[in-house]
Amino acid sequence: MKVMNVGIMSREDYKNRTIAIARGVYKPKPSEPKVWFESIKSLSQVLSNENQELLKLIVERKPQSLTELEQISHRKKSNLSRTLKTLENYGIVSLTKESGKVVPTVQATDFEVKFGLNTAAY
């Protein structure tokens, strides 16, 4: 079980947080999320039921290429590539090249979500 700590914060609050960190005004705690979504909706799009099933499939079947994943998931390679690239951008999967093939590996199987109405505490 690999737990990923994610947060939800508006784009404006995230921008202000980043500026505060850059200025040295705010130092993030080690327990704070490293991955942020701008809304619950954006989180639910990335971790949709379909994408959760894809992640489970990768964990259970350990495909050694996108072609193999295409066959076992019954999803088109172009759709898989786009979805996996998004998941990789959030650190949920890694895509490594081995012998000319792209091999997906799940980096996070469980998620803890942090959000609140008072996000401007920095």
Side-chain angles (χ1 to χ4, degrees):
M1 175 169 68
K2 303 170 193 173
V3 178
M4 176 179 278
N5 191 6
V6 299
I8 298 172
M9 183 183 294
S10 72
R11 185 180 302 256
E12 184 67 23
D13 284 344
Y14 184 78
K15 181 177 135 187
N16 291 336
R17 178 181 183 270
T18 302
I19 291 169
I21 292 168
R23 289 184 177 157
V25 175
Y26 179 72
K27 183 170 176 20
K29 297 171 190 73
S31 62
E32 287 185 33
K34 307 264 186 290
V35 175
W36 292 90
F37 291 88
E38 110 175 59
S39 67
I40 292 174
K41 183 177 180 179
S42 62
L43 170 66
S44 68
Q45 289 171 337
V46 171
L47 291 175
S48 66
N49 290 345
E50 186 178 43
N51 288 349
Q52 288 178 53
E53 289 301 319
L54 181 63
L55 292 170
K56 287 179 195 172
L57 193 61
I58 294 168
V59 168
E60 292 169 1
R61 303 284 293 273
K62 297 177 182 35
Q64 295 304 300
S65 69
L66 289 187
T67 302
E68 185 181 341
L69 183 58
E70 177 184 32
Q71 292 168 350
I72 61 177
S73 69
H74 307 291
R75 290 171 66 170
K76 293 189 185 299
K77 200 177 209 176
S78 60
N79 174 281
L80 282 175
S81 292
R82 190 172 43 255
T83 299
L84 290 171
K85 199 65 169 160
T86 298
L87 293 170
E88 181 183 44
N89 288 339
Y90 284 105
I92 298 168
V93 299
S94 65
L95 301 172
T96 54
K97 282 199 173 186
E98 296 178 16
S99 304
K101 297 177 182 178
V102 176
V103 180
T105 307
V106 174
Q107 299 299 310
T109 55
D110 293 276
F111 302 86
E112 290 184 5
V113 181
K114 177 180 171 125
F115 70 99
L117 299 177
N118 185 19
T119 55
Y122 41 86

